[in-house]
Amino acid sequence: MPIVTELVVDVPLDPNLSVRDLLLKEEYSDFLEWTGLADLRPEQRIEFSEPGGYLDLVRHINAHRYYLGQELGRPVTREEAVTSWYDNVYMPVIEVIRQQNALRYFPGRTEADLYRWIMDHRWYHA
């Protein structure tokens, strides 16, 4: 008897997706559910080529929420943190990636992959 696993996701699925792609879609769906980003910024399309990226984004948002609260001197809601992170942290990096056509140097990678790499290495200096 085959084993059936139900995945409840709010992202588009295709019958030809691999198991890895299905897991990425499930991570994306969980990320959208936690952040509410699909409602807050319906135009967003954050896609990774490797698992684990969305958990890093949640960490980025939580850190951004903390520092934003310090800056504002008050608690920051999750919704405020998500929209501020997306508008003031994520998208500016993505815009530079697009302007520089940086993905041409990283075949098979996505804008989100590059954002993640940049954020992981932003403290290193040559």
Side-chain angles (χ1 to χ4, degrees):
M1 176 175 242
I3 297 173
V4 176
T5 302
E6 179 182 10
L7 299 176
V8 179
V9 296
D10 55 0
V11 295
L13 297 178
D14 179 302
N16 300 318
L17 290 174
S18 68
V19 171
R20 182 178 134 318
D21 290 338
L22 280 172
L23 291 174
L24 285 168
K25 294 283 189 184
E26 183 180 27
E27 282 186 14
Y28 188 24
S29 177
D30 290 346
F31 172 76
L32 292 177
E33 182 180 339
W34 185 84
T35 62
L37 195 57
D39 294 326
L40 297 169
R41 296 294 181 269
E43 73 284 356
Q44 65 73 39
R45 292 293 174 268
I46 300 175
E47 296 176 333
F48 285 98
S49 64
E50 302 274 331
Y54 297 105
L55 184 55
D56 281 348
L57 295 188
V58 168
R59 289 183 189 118
H60 293 185
I61 293 167
N62 284 335
H64 182 73
R65 183 179 187 178
Y66 171 79
Y67 288 112
L68 186 60
Q70 294 293 306
E71 181 181 314
L72 298 175
R74 63 173 176 78
V76 173
T77 67
R78 182 186 309 169
E79 185 175 283
E80 283 179 287
V82 168
T83 56
S84 177
W85 168 82
Y86 184 80
D87 295 343
N88 302 306
V89 179
Y90 183 77
M91 283 310 297
V93 172
I94 297 305
E95 290 302 323
V96 170
I97 289 169
R98 290 174 182 169
Q99 289 167 1
Q100 298 296 316
N101 197 19
L103 283 180
R104 73 180 181 269
Y105 299 112
F106 302 94
R109 296 300 182 168
T110 67
E111 292 173 342
D113 291 333
L114 232 50
Y115 165 86
R116 184 180 180 198
W117 187 88
I118 290 166
M119 297 313 282
D120 286 349
H121 296 87
R122 69 188 178 274
W123 304 115
Y124 296 100
H125 299 282

